[in-house]
Amino acid sequence: MVRLWLVIVVAAVAFTVFALIDCATMPRTRVRSLRKGIWVLLVVVLPVLGGVLWFLLGRTPRRGTARQRWRWCRVPWSRRRP
């Protein structure tokens, strides 16, 4: 039983740290409904609930699919050389 609680606590801390880093490094143009500082405070004060709210309500989704985003990164080899 102690192991289960340990796993739950570690998962909650990891999720909160991930949400905090994601919230703090997100550009202001992709933050919605509240200001960025308030979201960071919310994630710190309400660890798991704040992270869930951040991912559901605070972030705006990226535009386009992953395939469309990576299409612009692929440059033919002949154009890479100066």
Side-chain angles (χ1 to χ4, degrees):
M1 188 68 174
V2 174
R3 289 183 191 175
L4 177 65
W5 281 109
L6 184 65
V7 168
I8 290 172
V9 168
V10 168
V13 168
F15 177 71
T16 302
V17 168
F18 178 72
L20 183 63
I21 291 171
D22 186 58
C23 182
T25 59
M26 186 68 59
R28 288 185 183 183
T29 57
R30 291 195 51 210
V31 177
R32 63 180 173 180
S33 68
L34 293 174
R35 288 184 290 169
K36 192 173 172 180
I38 295 174
W39 276 115
V40 169
L41 185 65
L42 191 66
V43 170
V44 170
V45 171
L46 303 171
V48 176
L49 182 62
V52 169
L53 290 173
W54 163 248
F55 286 113
L56 292 178
L57 303 174
R59 300 178 78 194
T60 57
R62 288 186 177 179
R63 294 186 183 128
T65 62
R67 186 177 201 156
Q68 290 171 340
R69 287 191 305 270
W70 282 101
R71 182 182 66 194
W72 298 106
C73 294
R74 287 184 278 151
V75 178
W77 183 257
S78 60
R79 291 186 187 174
R80 291 183 188 178
R81 296 179 184 168

